[in-house]
Amino acid sequence: MNFLHFLRRYFEFTKYNTTLRTELIAGVTTFLAMLYIIVVNAKILSQSGMPENALVTSTVIISAFASIAMGVYARNPYALAPAMGMNVFFTYTIVKAWGIPWQVALGAVFWSGVIFALLALFNIRTKILAGIPDGVKHGIGAGIGIFIALVGFYNAGFIHQAPSGLLEIAPLTAETLIFLICFFALIIFLAYRFKAAILLMIILGCVISFPVGRFFGDHIIMHTPDHIFSLPDFSLFFSIDWLGSFKIAIIPAVFTFLFINIFDSTGTLIGLAQASNWFDKDGQPIRIKKSLIVDSFASASSGLFGSSPTSVYVESITGISVGGRTGLVAVVVGLLFLPFLFLAPLVMMVPIFVVAPALVIVGSFMLCSVKQIHWDDLTQAIPAFMTIILMPLTLSISEGIVWGMVSWFVIVLIQDRKQLTPMPVIITFCCFLIMLNSLKVI
């Protein structure tokens, strides 16, 4: 009873008009809504050459301890896990497109987290946010969304490269048929507002994939493990290539991870605060500085533990919607992740084409940011368009940001020089150097 009294006092149940039962239910609800990330993150990052069973361990560890830290230190009901978009950027841009070994890429994750932590500690984050033009700022989320959706379609085999070199719809196979069934099933689950819609879709996909090749069809498309339980695999822990992480070639990766983290975390925290009216007397989300500090240190730890950066999950809104108001919600989420340390074979069994619909749908959700762009204003429209279109076309989030910033600079130089304040000019200069490097000029 003394422990329960401590929980009520520490998390201020009376102040926020909540109960232990409500907080526990909210924690379970949020966990079910974001459980899919264990499967999705391991599947995406394994494409970079990292061992999938070790990725399950890394994903679980960082999600559990980051969420618990958010609950205990920041005392906010926000859960954390490896961010969608950054895992795609890690695999398909840094490792596959740029040819950087994943050990070096983990260094980029670590250093971006360290810089993010310093920015959060010294409140420089707000100045950087203010220095990003609105067109680029709103275009980043939409561009990442299209990028994620493209990866989802490609992983499902739904699209492939045509003889002309462009993309086209691929012929129907068992894998793409199941992808389509899961895709429309997920739409139905979301329409009915199921809390764990993505998790239900993954389970459905596995159920209908199992008979293929066993009872009908000419090849097995889902291989089942010999055993469900296994010991955690910590082989990715501290596998960073420290020497390689200091090379100039990873600066664009560090820059991109940092910017996305700043936008994604701050934007999500503000959105969650608006949904729950979670603001302090100054109009800021409650304990936002502490929340960002937790997020930044979790992102740096992700590089050490062998994963892409973390972020506050928008799925936290599901727990808030059922009444969760304190950090106990995040603590419950973190604790519920831990049993999956021993279920790596079960996670690895899920085919990547079953995970693909989640990428497409998550990508579609991220396009909502385009409604905030003033398309009749060239200083917003063109930078936003360049940011959005170049991310999927170049398979690089950083290229979209760089060309968006440079195009904005050219336009305002002609139309509205009042916008050329120090911070955006400094950011544009950094982008210009990265652009010259990508064009092989320097």
Side-chain angles (χ1 to χ4, degrees), residues 247-283:
K247 292 181 179 177
I248 295 176
I250 74 161
I251 290 178
V254 175
F255 167 85
T256 304
F257 280 140
L258 176 62
F259 267 51
I260 297 172
N261 237 334
I262 292 173
F263 298 147
D264 193 28
S265 299
T266 308
T268 302
L269 286 170
I270 292 173
L272 292 172
Q274 290 173 338
S276 56
N277 195 26
W278 204 243
F279 294 97
D280 59 24
K281 60 182 180 181
D282 298 320

PDB file of all heavy atoms in Angstrom, residues 247-283:
ATOM      1  N   LYS A 247      34.177  10.653 -39.946  1.00  0.00           N
ATOM      2  CA  LYS A 247      34.456  11.020 -41.336  1.00  0.00           C
ATOM      3  C   LYS A 247      33.471  12.079 -41.827  1.00  0.00           C
ATOM      4  O   LYS A 247      32.297  12.118 -41.407  1.00  0.00           O
ATOM      5  CB  LYS A 247      34.401   9.784 -42.235  1.00  0.00           C
ATOM      6  CG  LYS A 247      35.526   8.787 -41.972  1.00  0.00           C
ATOM      7  CD  LYS A 247      35.439   7.594 -42.898  1.00  0.00           C
ATOM      8  CE  LYS A 247      36.591   6.612 -42.639  1.00  0.00           C
ATOM      9  NZ  LYS A 247      36.487   5.406 -43.497  1.00  0.00           N
ATOM     10  N   ILE A 248      33.930  12.919 -42.739  1.00  0.00           N
ATOM     11  CA  ILE A 248      33.097  13.998 -43.287  1.00  0.00           C
ATOM     12  C   ILE A 248      31.873  13.432 -44.001  1.00  0.00           C
ATOM     13  O   ILE A 248      30.812  14.062 -44.017  1.00  0.00           O
ATOM     14  CB  ILE A 248      33.933  14.869 -44.250  1.00  0.00           C
ATOM     15  CG1 ILE A 248      35.043  15.579 -43.467  1.00  0.00           C
ATOM     16  CG2 ILE A 248      33.061  15.892 -44.976  1.00  0.00           C
ATOM     17  CD1 ILE A 248      35.987  16.394 -44.328  1.00  0.00           C
ATOM     18  N   ALA A 249      31.992  12.228 -44.575  1.00  0.00           N
ATOM     19  CA  ALA A 249      30.905  11.647 -45.363  1.00  0.00           C
ATOM     20  C   ALA A 249      29.626  11.440 -44.567  1.00  0.00           C
ATOM     21  O   ALA A 249      28.534  11.377 -45.148  1.00  0.00           O
ATOM     22  CB  ALA A 249      31.351  10.316 -45.971  1.00  0.00           C
ATOM     23  N   ILE A 250      29.716  11.335 -43.229  1.00  0.00           N
ATOM     24  CA  ILE A 250      28.491  11.085 -42.462  1.00  0.00           C
ATOM     25  C   ILE A 250      27.852  12.374 -41.952  1.00  0.00           C
ATOM     26  O   ILE A 250      26.809  12.323 -41.310  1.00  0.00           O
ATOM     27  CB  ILE A 250      28.730  10.116 -41.282  1.00  0.00           C
ATOM     28  CG1 ILE A 250      29.489  10.818 -40.148  1.00  0.00           C
ATOM     29  CG2 ILE A 250      29.427   8.856 -41.726  1.00  0.00           C
ATOM     30  CD1 ILE A 250      29.348  10.113 -38.823  1.00  0.00           C
ATOM     31  N   ILE A 251      28.463  13.531 -42.243  1.00  0.00           N
ATOM     32  CA  ILE A 251      27.883  14.800 -41.772  1.00  0.00           C
ATOM     33  C   ILE A 251      26.446  14.988 -42.269  1.00  0.00           C
ATOM     34  O   ILE A 251      25.573  15.375 -41.486  1.00  0.00           O
ATOM     35  CB  ILE A 251      28.780  15.991 -42.185  1.00  0.00           C
ATOM     36  CG1 ILE A 251      30.088  15.963 -41.385  1.00  0.00           C
ATOM     37  CG2 ILE A 251      28.047  17.318 -41.958  1.00  0.00           C
ATOM     38  CD1 ILE A 251      31.064  17.061 -41.750  1.00  0.00           C
ATOM     39  N   PRO A 252      26.140  14.726 -43.569  1.00  0.00           N
ATOM     40  CA  PRO A 252      24.739  14.867 -43.998  1.00  0.00           C
ATOM     41  C   PRO A 252      23.791  13.958 -43.223  1.00  0.00           C
ATOM     42  O   PRO A 252      22.642  14.332 -42.959  1.00  0.00           O
ATOM     43  CB  PRO A 252      24.787  14.479 -45.482  1.00  0.00           C
ATOM     44  CG  PRO A 252      26.190  14.751 -45.902  1.00  0.00           C
ATOM     45  CD  PRO A 252      27.023  14.415 -44.702  1.00  0.00           C
ATOM     46  N   ALA A 253      24.264  12.770 -42.852  1.00  0.00           N
ATOM     47  CA  ALA A 253      23.423  11.846 -42.091  1.00  0.00           C
ATOM     48  C   ALA A 253      23.153  12.408 -40.697  1.00  0.00           C
ATOM     49  O   ALA A 253      22.007  12.387 -40.217  1.00  0.00           O
ATOM     50  CB  ALA A 253      24.094  10.481 -41.991  1.00  0.00           C
ATOM     51  N   VAL A 254      24.193  12.914 -40.037  1.00  0.00           N
ATOM     52  CA  VAL A 254      24.028  13.523 -38.713  1.00  0.00           C
ATOM     53  C   VAL A 254      23.077  14.716 -38.793  1.00  0.00           C
ATOM     54  O   VAL A 254      22.162  14.867 -37.974  1.00  0.00           O
ATOM     55  CB  VAL A 254      25.396  13.976 -38.151  1.00  0.00           C
ATOM     56  CG1 VAL A 254      25.209  14.731 -36.836  1.00  0.00           C
ATOM     57  CG2 VAL A 254      26.315  12.780 -37.942  1.00  0.00           C
ATOM     58  N   PHE A 255      23.291  15.558 -39.800  1.00  0.00           N
ATOM     59  CA  PHE A 255      22.472  16.745 -40.031  1.00  0.00           C
ATOM     60  C   PHE A 255      21.000  16.361 -40.210  1.00  0.00           C
ATOM     61  O   PHE A 255      20.087  16.966 -39.629  1.00  0.00           O
ATOM     62  CB  PHE A 255      23.010  17.458 -41.275  1.00  0.00           C
ATOM     63  CG  PHE A 255      22.126  18.520 -41.856  1.00  0.00           C
ATOM     64  CD1 PHE A 255      22.150  19.819 -41.370  1.00  0.00           C
ATOM     65  CD2 PHE A 255      21.276  18.228 -42.910  1.00  0.00           C
ATOM     66  CE1 PHE A 255      21.340  20.793 -41.918  1.00  0.00           C
ATOM     67  CE2 PHE A 255      20.466  19.196 -43.459  1.00  0.00           C
ATOM     68  CZ  PHE A 255      20.499  20.483 -42.964  1.00  0.00           C
ATOM     69  N   THR A 256      20.757  15.316 -41.010  1.00  0.00           N
ATOM     70  CA  THR A 256      19.369  14.899 -41.279  1.00  0.00           C
ATOM     71  C   THR A 256      18.718  14.314 -40.047  1.00  0.00           C
ATOM     72  O   THR A 256      17.574  14.655 -39.709  1.00  0.00           O
ATOM     73  CB  THR A 256      19.348  13.871 -42.428  1.00  0.00           C
ATOM     74  OG1 THR A 256      19.979  14.429 -43.575  1.00  0.00           O
ATOM     75  CG2 THR A 256      17.919  13.496 -42.783  1.00  0.00           C
ATOM     76  N   PHE A 257      19.395  13.392 -39.375  1.00  0.00           N
ATOM     77  CA  PHE A 257      18.836  12.824 -38.144  1.00  0.00           C
ATOM     78  C   PHE A 257      18.496  13.927 -37.140  1.00  0.00           C
ATOM     79  O   PHE A 257      17.441  13.902 -36.507  1.00  0.00           O
ATOM     80  CB  PHE A 257      19.848  11.861 -37.503  1.00  0.00           C
ATOM     81  CG  PHE A 257      19.880  10.495 -38.119  1.00  0.00           C
ATOM     82  CD1 PHE A 257      21.088   9.843 -38.320  1.00  0.00           C
ATOM     83  CD2 PHE A 257      18.712   9.846 -38.485  1.00  0.00           C
ATOM     84  CE1 PHE A 257      21.130   8.574 -38.877  1.00  0.00           C
ATOM     85  CE2 PHE A 257      18.745   8.576 -39.049  1.00  0.00           C
ATOM     86  CZ  PHE A 257      19.959   7.945 -39.243  1.00  0.00           C
ATOM     87  N   LEU A 258      19.394  14.905 -37.008  1.00  0.00           N
ATOM     88  CA  LEU A 258      19.195  15.990 -36.042  1.00  0.00           C
ATOM     89  C   LEU A 258      17.958  16.809 -36.397  1.00  0.00           C
ATOM     90  O   LEU A 258      17.102  17.069 -35.536  1.00  0.00           O
ATOM     91  CB  LEU A 258      20.428  16.885 -36.009  1.00  0.00           C
ATOM     92  CG  LEU A 258      20.343  18.127 -35.111  1.00  0.00           C
ATOM     93  CD1 LEU A 258      20.152  17.718 -33.664  1.00  0.00           C
ATOM     94  CD2 LEU A 258      21.602  18.980 -35.267  1.00  0.00           C
ATOM     95  N   PHE A 259      17.847  17.218 -37.650  1.00  0.00           N
ATOM     96  CA  PHE A 259      16.718  18.050 -38.060  1.00  0.00           C
ATOM     97  C   PHE A 259      15.389  17.309 -37.912  1.00  0.00           C
ATOM     98  O   PHE A 259      14.408  17.870 -37.419  1.00  0.00           O
ATOM     99  CB  PHE A 259      16.912  18.518 -39.504  1.00  0.00           C
ATOM    100  CG  PHE A 259      17.579  19.862 -39.591  1.00  0.00           C
ATOM    101  CD1 PHE A 259      18.758  20.114 -38.902  1.00  0.00           C
ATOM    102  CD2 PHE A 259      17.038  20.886 -40.351  1.00  0.00           C
ATOM    103  CE1 PHE A 259      19.374  21.351 -38.969  1.00  0.00           C
ATOM    104  CE2 PHE A 259      17.647  22.124 -40.425  1.00  0.00           C
ATOM    105  CZ  PHE A 259      18.826  22.355 -39.736  1.00  0.00           C
ATOM    106  N   ILE A 260      15.376  16.070 -38.350  1.00  0.00           N
ATOM    107  CA  ILE A 260      14.128  15.306 -38.253  1.00  0.00           C
ATOM    108  C   ILE A 260      13.741  15.132 -36.793  1.00  0.00           C
ATOM    109  O   ILE A 260      12.568  15.238 -36.425  1.00  0.00           O
ATOM    110  CB  ILE A 260      14.269  13.938 -38.945  1.00  0.00           C
ATOM    111  CG1 ILE A 260      14.528  14.114 -40.442  1.00  0.00           C
ATOM    112  CG2 ILE A 260      13.004  13.105 -38.755  1.00  0.00           C
ATOM    113  CD1 ILE A 260      14.863  12.830 -41.157  1.00  0.00           C
ATOM    114  N   ASN A 261      14.735  14.856 -35.952  1.00  0.00           N
ATOM    115  CA  ASN A 261      14.458  14.689 -34.523  1.00  0.00           C
ATOM    116  C   ASN A 261      13.855  15.952 -33.926  1.00  0.00           C
ATOM    117  O   ASN A 261      12.883  15.906 -33.160  1.00  0.00           O
ATOM    118  CB  ASN A 261      15.755  14.338 -33.787  1.00  0.00           C
ATOM    119  CG  ASN A 261      15.643  13.037 -33.029  1.00  0.00           C
ATOM    120  OD1 ASN A 261      14.556  12.637 -32.638  1.00  0.00           O
ATOM    121  ND2 ASN A 261      16.758  12.374 -32.818  1.00  0.00           N
ATOM    122  N   ILE A 262      14.428  17.102 -34.270  1.00  0.00           N
ATOM    123  CA  ILE A 262      13.920  18.377 -33.749  1.00  0.00           C
ATOM    124  C   ILE A 262      12.479  18.605 -34.197  1.00  0.00           C
ATOM    125  O   ILE A 262      11.592  18.923 -33.389  1.00  0.00           O
ATOM    126  CB  ILE A 262      14.808  19.545 -34.191  1.00  0.00           C
ATOM    127  CG1 ILE A 262      16.185  19.466 -33.511  1.00  0.00           C
ATOM    128  CG2 ILE A 262      14.147  20.891 -33.868  1.00  0.00           C
ATOM    129  CD1 ILE A 262      17.180  20.484 -34.015  1.00  0.00           C
ATOM    130  N   PHE A 263      12.214  18.427 -35.499  1.00  0.00           N
ATOM    131  CA  PHE A 263      10.871  18.668 -36.028  1.00  0.00           C
ATOM    132  C   PHE A 263       9.874  17.645 -35.500  1.00  0.00           C
ATOM    133  O   PHE A 263       8.787  17.983 -35.037  1.00  0.00           O
ATOM    134  CB  PHE A 263      10.869  18.609 -37.556  1.00  0.00           C
ATOM    135  CG  PHE A 263      11.743  19.650 -38.194  1.00  0.00           C
ATOM    136  CD1 PHE A 263      12.403  19.391 -39.377  1.00  0.00           C
ATOM    137  CD2 PHE A 263      11.916  20.890 -37.615  1.00  0.00           C
ATOM    138  CE1 PHE A 263      13.210  20.345 -39.972  1.00  0.00           C
ATOM    139  CE2 PHE A 263      12.715  21.854 -38.195  1.00  0.00           C
ATOM    140  CZ  PHE A 263      13.368  21.580 -39.383  1.00  0.00           C
ATOM    141  N   ASP A 264      10.275  16.362 -35.586  1.00  0.00           N
ATOM    142  CA  ASP A 264       9.355  15.290 -35.257  1.00  0.00           C
ATOM    143  C   ASP A 264       8.990  15.312 -33.779  1.00  0.00           C
ATOM    144  O   ASP A 264       7.810  15.282 -33.409  1.00  0.00           O
ATOM    145  CB  ASP A 264       9.994  13.943 -35.628  1.00  0.00           C
ATOM    146  CG  ASP A 264       8.999  12.796 -35.615  1.00  0.00           C
ATOM    147  OD1 ASP A 264       7.812  13.054 -35.838  1.00  0.00           O
ATOM    148  OD2 ASP A 264       9.406  11.647 -35.373  1.00  0.00           O
ATOM    149  N   SER A 265      10.006  15.393 -32.922  1.00  0.00           N
ATOM    150  CA  SER A 265       9.750  15.357 -31.482  1.00  0.00           C
ATOM    151  C   SER A 265       8.962  16.574 -31.014  1.00  0.00           C
ATOM    152  O   SER A 265       7.969  16.441 -30.292  1.00  0.00           O
ATOM    153  CB  SER A 265      11.072  15.276 -30.719  1.00  0.00           C
ATOM    154  OG  SER A 265      11.765  14.102 -31.057  1.00  0.00           O
ATOM    155  N   THR A 266       9.400  17.753 -31.448  1.00  0.00           N
ATOM    156  CA  THR A 266       8.704  18.979 -31.027  1.00  0.00           C
ATOM    157  C   THR A 266       7.285  19.005 -31.557  1.00  0.00           C
ATOM    158  O   THR A 266       6.336  19.332 -30.829  1.00  0.00           O
ATOM    159  CB  THR A 266       9.465  20.226 -31.512  1.00  0.00           C
ATOM    160  OG1 THR A 266      10.827  20.139 -31.103  1.00  0.00           O
ATOM    161  CG2 THR A 266       8.853  21.483 -30.935  1.00  0.00           C
ATOM    162  N   GLY A 267       7.124  18.655 -32.834  1.00  0.00           N
ATOM    163  CA  GLY A 267       5.791  18.653 -33.443  1.00  0.00           C
ATOM    164  C   GLY A 267       4.860  17.666 -32.770  1.00  0.00           C
ATOM    165  O   GLY A 267       3.686  17.968 -32.508  1.00  0.00           O
ATOM    166  N   THR A 268       5.370  16.458 -32.473  1.00  0.00           N
ATOM    167  CA  THR A 268       4.544  15.441 -31.820  1.00  0.00           C
ATOM    168  C   THR A 268       4.162  15.871 -30.409  1.00  0.00           C
ATOM    169  O   THR A 268       3.010  15.701 -29.989  1.00  0.00           O
ATOM    170  CB  THR A 268       5.288  14.097 -31.772  1.00  0.00           C
ATOM    171  OG1 THR A 268       5.617  13.688 -33.096  1.00  0.00           O
ATOM    172  CG2 THR A 268       4.423  13.036 -31.128  1.00  0.00           C
ATOM    173  N   LEU A 269       5.125  16.428 -29.673  1.00  0.00           N
ATOM    174  CA  LEU A 269       4.834  16.875 -28.312  1.00  0.00           C
ATOM    175  C   LEU A 269       3.770  17.976 -28.289  1.00  0.00           C
ATOM    176  O   LEU A 269       2.869  17.966 -27.451  1.00  0.00           O
ATOM    177  CB  LEU A 269       6.113  17.378 -27.638  1.00  0.00           C
ATOM    178  CG  LEU A 269       7.107  16.298 -27.197  1.00  0.00           C
ATOM    179  CD1 LEU A 269       8.427  16.923 -26.769  1.00  0.00           C
ATOM    180  CD2 LEU A 269       6.522  15.458 -26.062  1.00  0.00           C
ATOM    181  N   ILE A 270       3.868  18.897 -29.234  1.00  0.00           N
ATOM    182  CA  ILE A 270       2.867  19.966 -29.315  1.00  0.00           C
ATOM    183  C   ILE A 270       1.500  19.395 -29.680  1.00  0.00           C
ATOM    184  O   ILE A 270       0.472  19.761 -29.109  1.00  0.00           O
ATOM    185  CB  ILE A 270       3.305  21.042 -30.331  1.00  0.00           C
ATOM    186  CG1 ILE A 270       4.533  21.789 -29.790  1.00  0.00           C
ATOM    187  CG2 ILE A 270       2.163  22.025 -30.618  1.00  0.00           C
ATOM    188  CD1 ILE A 270       5.150  22.757 -30.778  1.00  0.00           C
ATOM    189  N   GLY A 271       1.492  18.462 -30.638  1.00  0.00           N
ATOM    190  CA  GLY A 271       0.237  17.839 -31.058  1.00  0.00           C
ATOM    191  C   GLY A 271      -0.423  17.065 -29.931  1.00  0.00           C
ATOM    192  O   GLY A 271      -1.642  17.159 -29.722  1.00  0.00           O
ATOM    193  N   LEU A 272       0.358  16.300 -29.180  1.00  0.00           N
ATOM    194  CA  LEU A 272      -0.185  15.546 -28.052  1.00  0.00           C
ATOM    195  C   LEU A 272      -0.678  16.487 -26.950  1.00  0.00           C
ATOM    196  O   LEU A 272      -1.708  16.229 -26.318  1.00  0.00           O
ATOM    197  CB  LEU A 272       0.878  14.600 -27.495  1.00  0.00           C
ATOM    198  CG  LEU A 272       1.286  13.429 -28.400  1.00  0.00           C
ATOM    199  CD1 LEU A 272       2.483  12.688 -27.809  1.00  0.00           C
ATOM    200  CD2 LEU A 272       0.120  12.473 -28.603  1.00  0.00           C
ATOM    201  N   ALA A 273       0.054  17.575 -26.731  1.00  0.00           N
ATOM    202  CA  ALA A 273      -0.368  18.555 -25.721  1.00  0.00           C
ATOM    203  C   ALA A 273      -1.691  19.204 -26.118  1.00  0.00           C
ATOM    204  O   ALA A 273      -2.570  19.433 -25.276  1.00  0.00           O
ATOM    205  CB  ALA A 273       0.713  19.620 -25.542  1.00  0.00           C
ATOM    206  N   GLN A 274      -1.853  19.499 -27.411  1.00  0.00           N
ATOM    207  CA  GLN A 274      -3.110  20.083 -27.885  1.00  0.00           C
ATOM    208  C   GLN A 274      -4.267  19.113 -27.717  1.00  0.00           C
ATOM    209  O   GLN A 274      -5.377  19.502 -27.351  1.00  0.00           O
ATOM    210  CB  GLN A 274      -2.964  20.488 -29.354  1.00  0.00           C
ATOM    211  CG  GLN A 274      -2.041  21.687 -29.567  1.00  0.00           C
ATOM    212  CD  GLN A 274      -1.777  21.970 -31.030  1.00  0.00           C
ATOM    213  OE1 GLN A 274      -1.917  21.092 -31.890  1.00  0.00           O
ATOM    214  NE2 GLN A 274      -1.364  23.200 -31.328  1.00  0.00           N
ATOM    215  N   ALA A 275      -3.990  17.830 -27.974  1.00  0.00           N
ATOM    216  CA  ALA A 275      -5.053  16.822 -27.876  1.00  0.00           C
ATOM    217  C   ALA A 275      -5.530  16.637 -26.441  1.00  0.00           C
ATOM    218  O   ALA A 275      -6.694  16.292 -26.213  1.00  0.00           O
ATOM    219  CB  ALA A 275      -4.561  15.490 -28.437  1.00  0.00           C
ATOM    220  N   SER A 276      -4.641  16.868 -25.477  1.00  0.00           N
ATOM    221  CA  SER A 276      -5.003  16.656 -24.070  1.00  0.00           C
ATOM    222  C   SER A 276      -5.049  17.943 -23.260  1.00  0.00           C
ATOM    223  O   SER A 276      -5.195  17.901 -22.038  1.00  0.00           O
ATOM    224  CB  SER A 276      -3.985  15.692 -23.430  1.00  0.00           C
ATOM    225  OG  SER A 276      -2.670  16.183 -23.585  1.00  0.00           O
ATOM    226  N   ASN A 277      -4.922  19.092 -23.959  1.00  0.00           N
ATOM    227  CA  ASN A 277      -4.884  20.403 -23.283  1.00  0.00           C
ATOM    228  C   ASN A 277      -3.799  20.414 -22.210  1.00  0.00           C
ATOM    229  O   ASN A 277      -4.010  20.850 -21.077  1.00  0.00           O
ATOM    230  CB  ASN A 277      -6.250  20.727 -22.674  1.00  0.00           C
ATOM    231  CG  ASN A 277      -6.358  22.200 -22.300  1.00  0.00           C
ATOM    232  OD1 ASN A 277      -5.685  23.064 -22.886  1.00  0.00           O
ATOM    233  ND2 ASN A 277      -7.197  22.505 -21.327  1.00  0.00           N
ATOM    234  N   TRP A 278      -2.620  19.947 -22.582  1.00  0.00           N
ATOM    235  CA  TRP A 278      -1.509  19.695 -21.669  1.00  0.00           C
ATOM    236  C   TRP A 278      -0.499  20.832 -21.764  1.00  0.00           C
ATOM    237  O   TRP A 278       0.640  20.654 -22.169  1.00  0.00           O
ATOM    238  CB  TRP A 278      -0.880  18.365 -22.047  1.00  0.00           C
ATOM    239  CG  TRP A 278      -0.115  17.633 -20.988  1.00  0.00           C
ATOM    240  CD1 TRP A 278       1.213  17.337 -21.003  1.00  0.00           C
ATOM    241  CD2 TRP A 278      -0.609  17.064 -19.783  1.00  0.00           C
ATOM    242  NE1 TRP A 278       1.577  16.630 -19.879  1.00  0.00           N
ATOM    243  CE2 TRP A 278       0.465  16.451 -19.109  1.00  0.00           C
ATOM    244  CE3 TRP A 278      -1.880  17.031 -19.181  1.00  0.00           C
ATOM    245  CZ2 TRP A 278       0.319  15.802 -17.882  1.00  0.00           C
ATOM    246  CZ3 TRP A 278      -2.017  16.385 -17.978  1.00  0.00           C
ATOM    247  CH2 TRP A 278      -0.929  15.789 -17.344  1.00  0.00           C
ATOM    248  N   PHE A 279      -0.898  22.036 -21.362  1.00  0.00           N
ATOM    249  CA  PHE A 279      -0.035  23.216 -21.459  1.00  0.00           C
ATOM    250  C   PHE A 279       0.172  23.840 -20.086  1.00  0.00           C
ATOM    251  O   PHE A 279      -0.705  23.767 -19.215  1.00  0.00           O
ATOM    252  CB  PHE A 279      -0.648  24.257 -22.405  1.00  0.00           C
ATOM    253  CG  PHE A 279      -0.715  23.805 -23.841  1.00  0.00           C
ATOM    254  CD1 PHE A 279      -1.879  23.257 -24.356  1.00  0.00           C
ATOM    255  CD2 PHE A 279       0.391  23.931 -24.671  1.00  0.00           C
ATOM    256  CE1 PHE A 279      -1.941  22.836 -25.666  1.00  0.00           C
ATOM    257  CE2 PHE A 279       0.345  23.522 -25.984  1.00  0.00           C
ATOM    258  CZ  PHE A 279      -0.816  22.974 -26.486  1.00  0.00           C
ATOM    259  N   ASP A 280       1.348  24.474 -19.926  1.00  0.00           N
ATOM    260  CA  ASP A 280       1.606  25.173 -18.669  1.00  0.00           C
ATOM    261  C   ASP A 280       1.100  26.610 -18.760  1.00  0.00           C
ATOM    262  O   ASP A 280       0.483  27.017 -19.754  1.00  0.00           O
ATOM    263  CB  ASP A 280       3.099  25.130 -18.318  1.00  0.00           C
ATOM    264  CG  ASP A 280       3.981  25.755 -19.401  1.00  0.00           C
ATOM    265  OD1 ASP A 280       3.472  26.601 -20.171  1.00  0.00           O
ATOM    266  OD2 ASP A 280       5.174  25.399 -19.478  1.00  0.00           O
ATOM    267  N   LYS A 281       1.376  27.410 -17.740  1.00  0.00           N
ATOM    268  CA  LYS A 281       0.854  28.781 -17.697  1.00  0.00           C
ATOM    269  C   LYS A 281       1.463  29.680 -18.768  1.00  0.00           C
ATOM    270  O   LYS A 281       0.909  30.720 -19.099  1.00  0.00           O
ATOM    271  CB  LYS A 281       1.108  29.387 -16.320  1.00  0.00           C
ATOM    272  CG  LYS A 281       2.588  29.460 -15.933  1.00  0.00           C
ATOM    273  CD  LYS A 281       2.762  30.015 -14.533  1.00  0.00           C
ATOM    274  CE  LYS A 281       4.247  30.085 -14.159  1.00  0.00           C
ATOM    275  NZ  LYS A 281       4.437  30.608 -12.787  1.00  0.00           N
ATOM    276  N   ASP A 282       2.623  29.271 -19.337  1.00  0.00           N
ATOM    277  CA  ASP A 282       3.265  30.058 -20.395  1.00  0.00           C
ATOM    278  C   ASP A 282       2.832  29.631 -21.788  1.00  0.00           C
ATOM    279  O   ASP A 282       3.348  30.122 -22.791  1.00  0.00           O
ATOM    280  CB  ASP A 282       4.795  29.933 -20.288  1.00  0.00           C
ATOM    281  CG  ASP A 282       5.321  30.476 -18.969  1.00  0.00           C
ATOM    282  OD1 ASP A 282       4.795  31.522 -18.535  1.00  0.00           O
ATOM    283  OD2 ASP A 282       6.232  29.864 -18.387  1.00  0.00           O
ATOM    284  N   GLY A 283       1.902  28.681 -21.869  1.00  0.00           N
ATOM    285  CA  GLY A 283       1.420  28.223 -23.163  1.00  0.00           C
ATOM    286  C   GLY A 283       2.294  27.167 -23.810  1.00  0.00           C
ATOM    287  O   GLY A 283       2.077  26.800 -24.970  1.00  0.00           O
TER     288      GLY A 283
END
